[in-house]
Amino acid sequence: QRGSRHLRDTVPWIGAWIDDAQLKALSDERRELLTRTAVAGMIHMVLAFLMLSVLPALELIVLLWDAHSFAPAIRACSPWALAWSALAAVRLLHIGCIAGCLNYFLFFFYSGFLNPNFASSAAFYKGFWAEFAAARMFAQLMILAAAASWFVPHYQQDGSPLLFDERPLAGRAVAVAVAAAHGASFGRFALRSAWKSLRNLEYSEAEL
């Protein structure tokens, strides 16, 4: 009771939620548990929203800026620019799928959270697979960004650019093979995640 009273006094929306008529019918112990779960859930949701929306948005800005900078090489069909473009397409796919899975997570989180019996509500837990998938895709997005850097020109100590096309053949072959494997695997996971969220399906624990 003391904990619920303190939260009611310090966090206005928690106070209004605690004083709801439906919740008043619950035992003090039950309301105490729901109050603490509500606070933890809101903190979790805010942090997940910031990480999985703001950071991919920044990645999108950088990606579009690079695409503008590399446009002449892309139009000229330079091999390094084409390789970068292929990874850029997978990165764009990830940004869109992260947004879709995040919205899926938030929808079910609020659907269960606004239910007075949300601690036992299936809707409250249904969206957590999508949050995990979005977090995994964000990690994949960072790996793809690192792989894309292999194909862009790097400037040497004398200031002259070292193009990917000018590097040793063995190094180029390894870079292309590794990037292609990651792009195919990550792209497949992103597409499956988007398809499942659109059809309101779920991953099994083994699939995740």
Side-chain angles (χ1 to χ4, degrees):
Q1 286 181 315
R2 188 180 307 161
S4 297
R5 194 178 306 117
H6 175 71
L7 286 169
R8 178 167 48 233
D9 295 338
T10 55
V11 186
W13 73 266
I14 288 289
W17 186 72
I18 293 173
D19 292 334
D20 184 87
Q22 290 179 293
L23 292 176
K24 284 185 176 181
L26 302 176
S27 65
D28 292 339
E29 182 179 355
R30 178 70 167 171
R31 281 193 294 164
E32 177 78 13
L33 174 62
L34 292 180
T35 300
R36 295 188 180 280
T37 305
V39 174
M42 286 302 298
I43 294 174
H44 178 98
M45 186 275 296
V46 170
L47 293 177
F49 178 79
L50 290 175
M51 186 189 80
L52 298 175
S53 60
V54 176
L55 294 180
L58 293 176
E59 179 73 7
L60 176 61
I61 294 173
V62 172
L63 187 59
L64 294 177
W65 176 263
D66 287 344
H68 174 73
S69 302
F70 300 152
I74 295 173
R75 286 195 294 267
C77 295
S78 173
W80 71 263
L82 295 179
W84 181 90
S85 299
L87 287 177
V90 183
R91 291 162 69 189
L92 284 172
L93 171 66
H94 271 65
I95 292 172
C97 291
I98 288 172
C101 285
L102 182 60
N103 287 326
Y104 184 95
F105 161 67
L106 292 177
F107 173 79
F108 281 102
F109 182 87
Y110 278 116
S111 296
F113 187 77
L114 297 177
N115 181 352
N117 297 315
F118 74 91
S120 59
S121 172
F124 182 67
Y125 299 99
K126 185 174 177 63
F128 279 98
W129 77 264
E131 184 202 17
F132 180 86
R136 179 173 169 178
M137 284 188 286
F138 177 75
Q140 293 174 348
L141 181 62
M142 296 298 98
I143 294 174
L144 291 170
S149 69
W150 299 342
F151 301 97
V152 300
H154 289 79
Y155 290 90
Q156 305 177 84
Q157 291 183 347
D158 60 1
S160 61
L162 174 63
L163 298 179
F164 178 77
D165 311 356
E166 301 170 350
R167 295 180 181 179
L169 178 60
R172 284 183 286 164
V174 171
V176 170
V178 173
H182 281 77
S185 175
F186 294 170
R188 180 172 177 270
F189 181 81
L191 288 173
R192 287 187 66 196
S193 299
W195 180 246
K196 284 182 179 292
S197 62
L198 288 173
R199 298 188 63 191
N200 195 21
L201 301 175
E202 300 179 49
Y203 276 114
S204 67
E205 291 188 11
E207 289 176 317
L208 287 172

